[in-house]
């Protein structure tokens, strides 16, 4: 069991023992706001903010006992720490400790004083040393140790132990201000992202953002494209590169649905505790206190208008702060987001906005070979070619096909071409993979935000007329077998109307770079679908 699984199981077990729904919601919040690791025979809980820390310390005993039980160990210590060193001053004030500036390191190392605190409710009945680091640059923490006292730091008056000052006589390796076992997949990196030639600019921009987050040249960074084309892989790659090369940067990744859930939980707690009037402020601080804020699937904010408003406030505050990096991903371009104000979408477009173009057949082949290597299966060239030619919709389905074949091979230890075709028959729907006039009409209608029925009617509105002409021109270029009469029949027009519409679009593209760019993007997208 890895630490993510271990932490999720601990959350589940501790929440199950509570009968209070609001308390359960708070415990569930820890799943993404607190990380778990075991280092040097000690369980380490790392909170992403002082706000979360102040809540979590009241539950630390239960989580320590549960994690110890899951690990089947009785000789572990523990620590609860704030990941953001900038909050240490506030932390000290809230615990009632008063720390002076750290003294100069002594000539000879001296042992730290050890302190023992009475057992706290929920702890095993064994004395534990409770301490807090008071030196600048060190994480503020409560920690405990079962058994013999260790060399320590400063006892915390918050838990009934007299404070003292911490001698500065030990080396300290800086830790990231925010690092947690979160949804970021450490295996998704730039090294294993197969780049289509049409996406080279996108990937180069992503690498530049990861190398120097917070510069005005790339802020905000907005990625959009169809589902399953690798947007999330790129977000993870950026996050992993930043964590590796810029560990001093605090970073948070969240999906829109998760943000909505956190907002609902925060609202529920606010309504159950009337004296907690600053709850909304603390909720925002969870996000705005970080250096890099990555939000995935933002088109899904249409599901929660109130949480979307809270997101607007956080984004406005975050973008205005210096040296902060905002990274967003969506299925649609900024102008096509539903429920977002024009002022905010224009703010998104003020940075760098890149579309993820679907991979070509050559790129899909390379992706298949990469995925096969990752999964540990060797497929013949004809099977690879079949998958690349017949599964065009997205990379996620390609990966699903390979895993399906791997499962079959694990059972039979043999995999022929005919077997593969039969096994993948449910995944491959040939009628949906062939470029058709209907698929082009649907893609153009989505781009221009009009109805296909309007394009097929006699409606003369400017947007509808341009979408209709654009679709006709794309069909003319991408489906050579379709005659002008065939295209006209699809739009309830005659062949002369089609000819005029195609000529009109081509003429406008010569003088309108934005229209030409839109046509080019649509053509690439449709060719690779």
């Amino acid at each position: 069991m890895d630490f993510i699984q271990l932490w999720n199981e601990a959350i589940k077990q501790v929440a199950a023992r509570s009968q209070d729904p609001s308390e359960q919601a708070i415990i569930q919040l820890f799943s993404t706001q607190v990380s778990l690791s075991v280092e040097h025979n000690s369980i380490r809980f790392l909170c992403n903010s002082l706000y979360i820390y102040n809540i979590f310390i009241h539950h630390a005993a239960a989580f320590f006992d549960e994690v110890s039980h899951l690990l089947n160990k009785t000789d572990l210590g523990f620590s609860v720490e704030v990941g953001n060193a900038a909050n240490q001053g506030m932390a000290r004030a809230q615990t009632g400790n008063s720390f002076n500036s750290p003294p100069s390191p002594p000539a000879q190392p001296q042992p730290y004083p050890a302190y023992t605190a009475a057992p706290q409710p929920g702890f095993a009945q064994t004395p534990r040393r409770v301490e807090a680091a008071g030196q600048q640059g060190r994480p503020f923490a409560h920690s405990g140790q079962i058994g013999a006292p260790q060399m320590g730091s400063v006892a915390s008056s918050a838990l009934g132990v007299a404070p003292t000052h911490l001698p500065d006589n030990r080396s300290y390796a800086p830790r990231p201000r925010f690092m947690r076992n979160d949804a970021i997949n450490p295996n998704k990196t730039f090294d294993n992202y197969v780049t289509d030639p049409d996406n080279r600019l996108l990937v180069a921009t992503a690498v530049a953002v990861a190398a120097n987050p917070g510069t005005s040249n790339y802020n905000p960074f907005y990625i959009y494209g169809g589902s399953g084309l690798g947007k999330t892989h790129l977000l993870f790659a950026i996050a992993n590169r930043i964590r590796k090369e810029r560990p001093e940067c605090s970073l948070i990744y969240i999906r829109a649905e998760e943000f909505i859930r956190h907002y609902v939980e925060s609202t529920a707690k606010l309504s159950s505790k009337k004296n907690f009037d600053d709850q909304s402020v603390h909720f925002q601080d969870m996000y705005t206190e970080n250096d890099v804020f990555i939000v995935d699937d933002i088109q899904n904010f249409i599901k929660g208008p109130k949480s979307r408003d809270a997101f607007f406030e956080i984004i406005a505050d975050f973008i205005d702060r210096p040296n902060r990096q905002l990274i967003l991903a969506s299925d649609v371009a900024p102008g096509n987001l539903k429920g977002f104000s024009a002022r905010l979408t224009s703010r998104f477009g003020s940075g760098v906005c890149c579309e993820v173009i679907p991979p070509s057949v050559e790129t899909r082949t390379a992706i298949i070979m990469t995925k096969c290597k990752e999964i540990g299966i060797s497929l013949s060239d004809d099977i690879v070619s079949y998958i690349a030619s017949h599964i065009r919709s997205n990379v996620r389905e390609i990966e699903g096909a390979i895993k399906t074949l791997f499962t079959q091979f694990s059972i039979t230890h043999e995999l022929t071409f005919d077997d593969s075709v039969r096994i993948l028959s449910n995944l491959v729907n040939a009628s949906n993979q062939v470029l058709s006039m209907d698929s082009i009409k649907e893609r153009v209608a989505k781009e221009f935000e009009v109805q296909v029925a309007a394009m097929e009617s006699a409606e003369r509105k400017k947007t509808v007329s341009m979408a209709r002409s654009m679709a006709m021109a794309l069909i003319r270029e991408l489906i050579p077998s379709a005659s002008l009469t065939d295209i006209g029949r699809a739009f309830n027009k005659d062949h002369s109307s089609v000819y005029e519409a195609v000529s009109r679009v081509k003429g406008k593209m010569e003088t309108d770079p934005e229209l030409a760019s839109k046509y080019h993007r649509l053509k690439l997208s449709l060719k690779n679908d």
Side-chain angles (χ1 to χ4, degrees), residues 377-442:
I377 184 174
S378 178
L379 299 178
S380 62
D381 292 343
D382 54 351
I383 297 176
V384 171
S385 178
Y386 176 79
I387 297 173
S389 301
H390 289 81
I391 302 182
R392 306 179 181 180
S393 54
N394 61 58
V395 178
R396 195 174 295 131
E397 290 190 4
I398 290 175
E399 188 170 4
I402 297 171
K403 289 180 178 179
T404 300
L405 294 179
F406 177 76
T407 301
Q408 179 66 23
F409 180 78
S410 300
I411 298 172
T412 63
H413 304 291
E414 184 180 6
L415 197 62
T416 66
F417 176 79
D418 291 339
D419 289 335
S420 301
V421 172
R422 175 180 53 80
I423 293 166
L424 299 179
S425 60
N426 292 330
L427 297 175
V428 176
N429 187 337
S431 64
N432 290 334
Q433 306 298 335
V434 177
L435 188 61
S436 65
M437 283 191 269
D438 285 340
S439 61
I440 293 176
K441 286 193 287 186
E442 289 173 1

Coordinates of all heavy atoms in Angstrom, one line a residue, residues 377-442:
I377 N 4.1 -4.7 -22.6 CA 3.6 -5.6 -23.6 C 4.2 -5.3 -24.9 O 4.5 -4.1 -25.3 CB 2.1 -5.5 -23.7 CG1 1.5 -6.6 -24.7 CG2 1.6 -4.2 -24.1 CD1 0.0 -6.7 -24.7
S378 N 4.5 -6.3 -25.7 CA 5.1 -6.1 -27.1 C 4.0 -6.5 -28.1 O 3.5 -7.7 -28.1 CB 6.3 -7.0 -27.2 OG 6.8 -6.9 -28.5
L379 N 3.6 -5.6 -28.9 CA 2.6 -5.8 -29.9 C 3.2 -5.8 -31.3 O 4.2 -5.1 -31.6 CB 1.5 -4.7 -29.9 CG 0.7 -4.6 -28.6 CD1 -0.3 -3.5 -28.7 CD2 0.0 -5.9 -28.3
S380 N 2.7 -6.7 -32.2 CA 3.2 -6.8 -33.5 C 2.9 -5.5 -34.3 O 2.0 -4.7 -33.9 CB 2.7 -8.0 -34.3 OG 1.2 -7.8 -34.4
D381 N 3.6 -5.2 -35.4 CA 3.4 -4.0 -36.1 C 2.0 -3.9 -36.7 O 1.5 -2.8 -36.8 CB 4.4 -3.9 -37.3 CG 5.9 -3.7 -36.8 OD1 6.0 -3.3 -35.6 OD2 6.8 -4.0 -37.6
D382 N 1.4 -5.0 -37.1 CA 0.1 -4.9 -37.7 C -1.0 -4.6 -36.6 O -1.9 -3.8 -36.9 CB -0.3 -6.2 -38.4 CG -0.1 -7.4 -37.6 OD1 0.4 -7.3 -36.4 OD2 -0.6 -8.5 -38.0
I383 N -0.8 -5.0 -35.4 CA -1.7 -4.7 -34.3 C -1.6 -3.2 -34.0 O -2.5 -2.5 -33.8 CB -1.5 -5.6 -33.1 CG1 -1.7 -7.0 -33.4 CG2 -2.4 -5.1 -31.9 CD1 -1.4 -8.0 -32.3
V384 N -0.3 -2.7 -33.9 CA -0.1 -1.3 -33.6 C -0.7 -0.4 -34.7 O -1.4 0.6 -34.4 CB 1.5 -1.0 -33.5 CG1 1.7 0.5 -33.4 CG2 2.1 -1.7 -32.3
S385 N -0.5 -0.8 -35.9 CA -1.1 -0.1 -37.0 C -2.6 -0.1 -37.0 O -3.2 1.0 -37.3 CB -0.6 -0.6 -38.4 OG -1.2 0.1 -39.5
Y386 N -3.2 -1.2 -36.6 CA -4.7 -1.3 -36.5 C -5.2 -0.3 -35.5 O -6.2 0.4 -35.7 CB -5.1 -2.7 -36.2 CG -6.6 -2.9 -36.0 CD1 -7.4 -3.0 -37.1 CD2 -7.1 -3.0 -34.7 CE1 -8.8 -3.2 -36.9 CE2 -8.5 -3.1 -34.6 CZ -9.3 -3.2 -35.7 OH -10.6 -3.3 -35.5
I387 N -4.6 -0.3 -34.3 CA -5.0 0.6 -33.2 C -4.9 2.0 -33.6 O -5.8 2.8 -33.4 CB -4.2 0.3 -31.9 CG1 -4.5 -1.1 -31.4 CG2 -4.6 1.3 -30.8 CD1 -3.6 -1.5 -30.3
A388 N -3.7 2.4 -34.2 CA -3.5 3.8 -34.6 C -4.5 4.2 -35.7 O -4.8 5.4 -35.7 CB -2.0 3.9 -35.1
S389 N -4.9 3.3 -36.5 CA -5.8 3.7 -37.6 C -7.2 3.7 -37.2 O -8.0 4.5 -37.8 CB -5.6 2.7 -38.8 OG -4.3 2.7 -39.3
H390 N -7.6 3.0 -36.2 CA -9.0 2.8 -35.9 C -9.5 3.5 -34.6 O -10.7 3.7 -34.4 CB -9.4 1.3 -35.8 CG -9.4 0.7 -37.2 ND1 -8.2 0.2 -37.8 CD2 -10.4 0.4 -38.0 CE1 -8.5 -0.3 -39.0 NE2 -9.8 -0.3 -39.1
I391 N -8.5 3.8 -33.7 CA -8.9 4.5 -32.5 C -8.3 5.9 -32.6 O -7.1 6.1 -32.3 CB -8.4 3.8 -31.3 CG1 -9.0 2.4 -31.2 CG2 -8.8 4.6 -30.0 CD1 -8.7 1.6 -30.0
R392 N -9.1 6.9 -33.1 CA -8.6 8.2 -33.3 C -9.1 9.3 -32.4 O -8.6 10.4 -32.4 CB -9.0 8.6 -34.8 CG -8.6 7.7 -35.9 CD -9.0 8.2 -37.2 NE -8.7 7.3 -38.3 CZ -9.0 7.6 -39.6 NH1 -9.6 8.7 -39.9 NH2 -8.7 6.7 -40.5
S393 N -10.1 8.9 -31.6 CA -10.8 9.9 -30.8 C -9.9 10.6 -29.8 O -9.8 11.8 -29.7 CB -12.0 9.3 -30.1 OG -11.7 8.2 -29.4
N394 N -9.2 9.8 -28.9 CA -8.3 10.4 -27.9 C -7.3 9.3 -27.4 O -7.4 8.1 -27.6 CB -9.1 11.0 -26.8 CG -9.9 10.0 -26.0 OD1 -9.4 9.0 -25.5 ND2 -11.2 10.2 -26.0
V395 N -6.3 9.9 -26.7 CA -5.2 9.0 -26.2 C -5.7 8.1 -25.1 O -5.2 7.0 -25.0 CB -4.0 9.9 -25.7 CG1 -2.9 9.1 -25.1 CG2 -3.5 10.8 -26.8
R396 N -6.6 8.5 -24.4 CA -7.2 7.7 -23.3 C -7.7 6.4 -23.8 O -7.5 5.4 -23.2 CB -8.2 8.5 -22.5 CG -8.6 8.0 -21.2 CD -9.5 8.9 -20.4 NE -8.8 10.2 -20.1 CZ -9.4 11.4 -20.3 NH1 -10.5 11.5 -20.9 NH2 -8.7 12.5 -20.0
E397 N -8.4 6.5 -24.9 CA -9.0 5.2 -25.5 C -7.9 4.3 -26.0 O -8.0 3.1 -26.0 CB -10.0 5.6 -26.5 CG -11.3 6.2 -26.0 CD -12.4 6.3 -27.0 OE1 -12.2 5.8 -28.2 OE2 -13.5 6.9 -26.7
I398 N -6.9 5.0 -26.6 CA -5.7 4.2 -27.0 C -5.1 3.4 -25.9 O -4.8 2.2 -26.0 CB -4.7 5.1 -27.7 CG1 -5.2 5.6 -29.0 CG2 -3.4 4.3 -27.9 CD1 -4.3 6.6 -29.7
E399 N -4.9 4.1 -24.8 CA -4.3 3.4 -23.6 C -5.3 2.3 -23.1 O -4.8 1.3 -22.7 CB -4.1 4.5 -22.5 CG -3.3 3.9 -21.3 CD -2.9 5.0 -20.4 OE1 -3.3 6.2 -20.6 OE2 -2.2 4.7 -19.4
G400 N -6.6 2.6 -23.1 CA -7.5 1.5 -22.7 C -7.5 0.3 -23.6 O -7.6 -0.8 -23.1
A401 N -7.3 0.5 -24.9 CA -7.2 -0.6 -25.8 C -5.9 -1.5 -25.5 O -6.0 -2.7 -25.5 CB -7.1 -0.1 -27.3
I402 N -4.8 -0.8 -25.2 CA -3.6 -1.5 -24.9 C -3.7 -2.3 -23.6 O -3.3 -3.5 -23.5 CB -2.4 -0.5 -24.9 CG1 -2.2 0.1 -26.2 CG2 -1.1 -1.3 -24.4 CD1 -1.2 1.3 -26.2
K403 N -4.3 -1.7 -22.6 CA -4.5 -2.4 -21.4 C -5.5 -3.6 -21.5 O -5.3 -4.6 -20.9 CB -5.1 -1.4 -20.3 CG -4.1 -0.4 -19.8 CD -4.7 0.5 -18.8 CE -3.7 1.5 -18.3 NZ -4.2 2.4 -17.3
T404 N -6.4 -3.5 -22.4 CA -7.4 -4.6 -22.7 C -6.6 -5.7 -23.3 O -6.8 -6.9 -22.9 CB -8.5 -4.1 -23.6 OG1 -9.2 -3.1 -23.0 CG2 -9.4 -5.3 -23.9
L405 N -5.7 -5.4 -24.3 CA -4.9 -6.5 -24.9 C -4.0 -7.1 -23.9 O -3.7 -8.3 -23.9 CB -4.2 -5.9 -26.1 CG -5.0 -5.4 -27.3 CD1 -4.2 -4.9 -28.4 CD2 -5.9 -6.6 -27.8
F406 N -3.4 -6.3 -23.0 CA -2.5 -6.8 -22.0 C -3.1 -7.8 -21.1 O -2.6 -8.8 -20.7 CB -1.9 -5.6 -21.2 CG -0.9 -6.1 -20.1 CD1 0.3 -6.5 -20.4 CD2 -1.4 -6.1 -18.8 CE1 1.2 -6.9 -19.4 CE2 -0.5 -6.5 -17.8 CZ 0.8 -6.9 -18.1
T407 N -4.4 -7.5 -20.7 CA -5.1 -8.4 -19.8 C -5.4 -9.7 -20.5 O -5.2 -10.8 -19.9 CB -6.5 -7.7 -19.5 OG1 -6.3 -6.5 -18.8 CG2 -7.3 -8.7 -18.6
Q408 N -5.7 -9.7 -21.8 CA -5.9 -10.9 -22.6 C -4.6 -11.7 -22.7 O -4.6 -12.9 -22.5 CB -6.5 -10.6 -24.0 CG -6.8 -11.8 -24.9 CD -7.9 -12.7 -24.3 OE1 -8.7 -12.2 -23.6 NE2 -7.9 -13.9 -24.7
F409 N -3.6 -11.0 -23.0 CA -2.3 -11.7 -23.2 C -1.8 -12.3 -21.8 O -1.2 -13.4 -21.8 CB -1.2 -10.7 -23.6 CG 0.1 -11.3 -23.9 CD1 0.4 -12.0 -25.0 CD2 1.1 -11.1 -22.9 CE1 1.7 -12.6 -25.2 CE2 2.4 -11.7 -23.1 CZ 2.7 -12.4 -24.2
S410 N -2.1 -11.7 -20.7 CA -1.7 -12.2 -19.4 C -2.4 -13.5 -19.1 O -1.9 -14.4 -18.4 CB -2.1 -11.2 -18.3 OG -1.4 -10.0 -18.5
I411 N -3.6 -13.7 -19.8 CA -4.3 -15.0 -19.5 C -3.9 -16.1 -20.5 O -3.7 -17.2 -20.2 CB -5.8 -14.7 -19.7 CG1 -6.3 -13.7 -18.6 CG2 -6.7 -16.0 -19.6 CD1 -7.7 -13.2 -18.7
T412 N -3.9 -15.7 -21.8 CA -3.6 -16.7 -22.9 C -2.2 -16.8 -23.3 O -1.8 -17.8 -23.9 CB -4.4 -16.3 -24.1 OG1 -4.0 -15.0 -24.6 CG2 -5.9 -16.2 -23.8
H413 N -1.3 -15.8 -22.9 CA 0.1 -15.8 -23.3 C 0.3 -15.8 -24.8 O 1.4 -16.2 -25.3 CB 0.8 -17.0 -22.7 CG 0.7 -17.0 -21.2 ND1 1.3 -16.0 -20.3 CD2 0.0 -17.9 -20.4 CE1 0.9 -16.3 -19.1 NE2 0.2 -17.4 -19.1
E414 N -0.7 -15.4 -25.5 CA -0.6 -15.4 -27.0 C -1.6 -14.4 -27.5 O -2.7 -14.2 -27.0 CB -1.0 -16.8 -27.6 CG -0.8 -16.8 -29.1 CD -1.1 -18.2 -29.7 OE1 -1.6 -19.1 -28.9 OE2 -0.9 -18.4 -30.9
L415 N -1.2 -13.6 -28.6 CA -2.1 -12.6 -29.1 C -1.9 -12.4 -30.6 O -0.8 -11.9 -31.0 CB -1.8 -11.2 -28.3 CG -2.8 -10.1 -28.4 CD1 -4.2 -10.6 -27.8 CD2 -2.3 -8.9 -27.7
T416 N -2.8 -12.9 -31.4 CA -2.7 -12.7 -32.8 C -3.4 -11.5 -33.3 O -4.2 -10.8 -32.5 CB -3.3 -13.9 -33.5 OG1 -4.7 -14.0 -33.2 CG2 -2.7 -15.2 -33.0
F417 N -3.3 -11.1 -34.5 CA -3.9 -10.0 -35.1 C -5.5 -10.2 -35.0 O -6.2 -9.2 -34.7 CB -3.5 -9.7 -36.5 CG -4.2 -8.6 -37.2 CD1 -3.8 -7.3 -36.9 CD2 -5.2 -8.8 -38.1 CE1 -4.5 -6.2 -37.6 CE2 -5.9 -7.8 -38.7 CZ -5.5 -6.5 -38.4
D418 N -5.9 -11.3 -35.4 CA -7.4 -11.6 -35.4 C -7.9 -11.5 -34.0 O -9.0 -11.0 -33.8 CB -7.6 -13.0 -36.0 CG -7.4 -13.0 -37.5 OD1 -7.3 -11.9 -38.2 OD2 -7.1 -14.1 -38.1
D419 N -7.2 -12.1 -33.1 CA -7.6 -12.0 -31.7 C -7.8 -10.5 -31.2 O -8.7 -10.1 -30.6 CB -6.6 -12.7 -30.7 CG -6.6 -14.2 -30.9 OD1 -7.7 -14.7 -31.3 OD2 -5.6 -14.8 -30.6
S420 N -6.8 -9.7 -31.6 CA -6.8 -8.3 -31.2 C -8.0 -7.6 -31.8 O -8.7 -6.8 -31.2 CB -5.5 -7.6 -31.7 OG -4.4 -8.2 -31.1
V421 N -8.3 -7.8 -33.1 CA -9.4 -7.2 -33.8 C -10.7 -7.6 -33.1 O -11.6 -6.7 -32.8 CB -9.5 -7.6 -35.3 CG1 -10.8 -7.1 -35.9 CG2 -8.3 -7.0 -36.0
R422 N -10.8 -8.9 -32.7 CA -12.0 -9.3 -32.0 C -12.2 -8.7 -30.7 O -13.3 -8.2 -30.3 CB -12.0 -10.8 -31.9 CG -13.2 -11.4 -31.1 CD -13.0 -13.0 -31.1 NE -11.8 -13.4 -30.6 CZ -11.4 -13.4 -29.3 NH1 -12.3 -13.0 -28.4 NH2 -10.2 -13.8 -28.9
I423 N -11.1 -8.7 -29.9 CA -11.1 -8.1 -28.5 C -11.5 -6.6 -28.5 O -12.2 -6.2 -27.7 CB -9.7 -8.4 -27.8 CG1 -9.5 -9.9 -27.6 CG2 -9.7 -7.6 -26.5 CD1 -8.1 -10.2 -27.3
L424 N -10.9 -5.9 -29.5 CA -11.1 -4.5 -29.6 C -12.4 -4.1 -30.3 O -12.6 -2.9 -30.5 CB -9.9 -3.8 -30.2 CG -8.6 -4.0 -29.5 CD1 -7.5 -3.3 -30.3 CD2 -8.7 -3.4 -28.1
S425 N -13.2 -5.0 -30.7 CA -14.4 -4.7 -31.6 C -15.3 -3.8 -30.8 O -16.0 -2.9 -31.5 CB -15.1 -6.0 -32.0 OG -15.5 -6.7 -30.8
N426 N -15.4 -3.9 -29.5 CA -16.3 -3.0 -28.7 C -15.8 -1.6 -28.6 O -16.5 -0.7 -28.3 CB -16.6 -3.6 -27.4 CG -17.4 -4.9 -27.4 OD1 -18.2 -5.1 -28.3 ND2 -17.2 -5.8 -26.5
L427 N -14.4 -1.5 -28.7 CA -13.8 -0.2 -28.6 C -13.7 0.6 -29.9 O -13.7 1.8 -29.9 CB -12.4 -0.3 -28.0 CG -12.3 -0.9 -26.6 CD1 -10.8 -1.1 -26.2 CD2 -13.0 0.0 -25.6
V428 N -13.7 -0.2 -31.0 CA -13.5 0.4 -32.3 C -14.9 0.5 -33.0 O -15.5 -0.5 -33.3 CB -12.6 -0.4 -33.1 CG1 -12.5 0.2 -34.5 CG2 -11.2 -0.4 -32.5
N429 N -15.4 1.7 -33.1 CA -16.6 1.9 -33.9 C -16.3 2.6 -35.2 O -16.1 3.8 -35.2 CB -17.6 2.7 -33.0 CG -19.0 2.8 -33.7 OD1 -19.1 2.7 -34.9 ND2 -20.0 3.1 -32.8
A430 N -16.2 1.8 -36.2 CA -15.7 2.4 -37.5 C -16.5 3.6 -38.0 O -16.0 4.5 -38.5 CB -15.7 1.3 -38.6
S431 N -17.8 3.5 -37.7 CA -18.7 4.6 -38.2 C -18.4 5.9 -37.6 O -18.6 7.0 -38.1 CB -20.2 4.2 -38.0 OG -20.4 4.2 -36.6
N432 N -17.8 5.9 -36.3 CA -17.5 7.1 -35.6 C -16.1 7.6 -35.9 O -15.7 8.7 -35.5 CB -17.7 6.9 -34.1 CG -19.1 6.7 -33.7 OD1 -20.0 7.2 -34.4 ND2 -19.3 6.0 -32.6
Q433 N -15.3 6.7 -36.6 CA -13.9 7.1 -36.8 C -13.7 7.7 -38.2 O -12.6 8.3 -38.5 CB -13.0 5.8 -36.7 CG -13.2 5.1 -35.3 CD -12.8 6.0 -34.2 OE1 -12.0 6.9 -34.3 NE2 -13.3 5.7 -33.0
V434 N -14.7 7.6 -39.1 CA -14.5 8.1 -40.5 C -15.0 9.5 -40.5 O -16.1 9.8 -40.0 CB -15.3 7.2 -41.4 CG1 -15.3 7.8 -42.9 CG2 -14.8 5.7 -41.4
L435 N -14.2 10.4 -41.1 CA -14.6 11.8 -41.2 C -15.8 11.9 -42.1 O -15.8 11.4 -43.3 CB -13.4 12.6 -41.8 CG -13.5 14.1 -41.8 CD1 -13.7 14.6 -40.3 CD2 -12.3 14.7 -42.4
S436 N -16.8 12.6 -41.7 CA -18.0 12.7 -42.5 C -18.5 14.2 -42.5 O -18.0 15.0 -41.7 CB -19.2 11.9 -41.9 OG -19.5 12.3 -40.6
M437 N -19.4 14.5 -43.4 CA -19.9 15.8 -43.4 C -20.6 16.2 -42.1 O -20.5 17.3 -41.6 CB -20.9 16.0 -44.6 CG -20.2 16.1 -45.9 SD -21.3 16.6 -47.3 CE -21.8 15.0 -47.9
D438 N -21.3 15.2 -41.5 CA -22.0 15.5 -40.2 C -21.0 15.8 -39.1 O -21.2 16.8 -38.3 CB -22.8 14.3 -39.8 CG -24.1 14.1 -40.7 OD1 -24.5 15.2 -41.3 OD2 -24.7 13.0 -40.7
S439 N -19.9 15.1 -39.1 CA -18.9 15.4 -38.0 C -18.2 16.8 -38.2 O -17.9 17.5 -37.2 CB -17.8 14.3 -38.0 OG -17.1 14.2 -39.2
I440 N -18.0 17.2 -39.5 CA -17.5 18.5 -39.7 C -18.5 19.6 -39.3 O -18.1 20.6 -38.7 CB -17.1 18.6 -41.2 CG1 -15.9 17.7 -41.5 CG2 -16.8 20.1 -41.6 CD1 -15.5 17.7 -43.0
K441 N -19.8 19.4 -39.7 CA -20.8 20.3 -39.3 C -20.9 20.5 -37.8 O -21.0 21.6 -37.2 CB -22.1 19.9 -39.9 CG -22.3 20.1 -41.4 CD -23.7 20.0 -41.8 CE -24.2 18.6 -41.8 NZ -25.5 18.5 -42.4
E442 N -20.8 19.4 -37.1 CA -20.9 19.4 -35.6 C -19.7 20.1 -35.0 O -19.9 20.9 -34.1 CB -21.0 18.0 -35.1 CG -22.3 17.3 -35.4 CD -22.3 15.9 -35.0 OE1 -21.3 15.4 -34.4 OE2 -23.4 15.2 -35.2

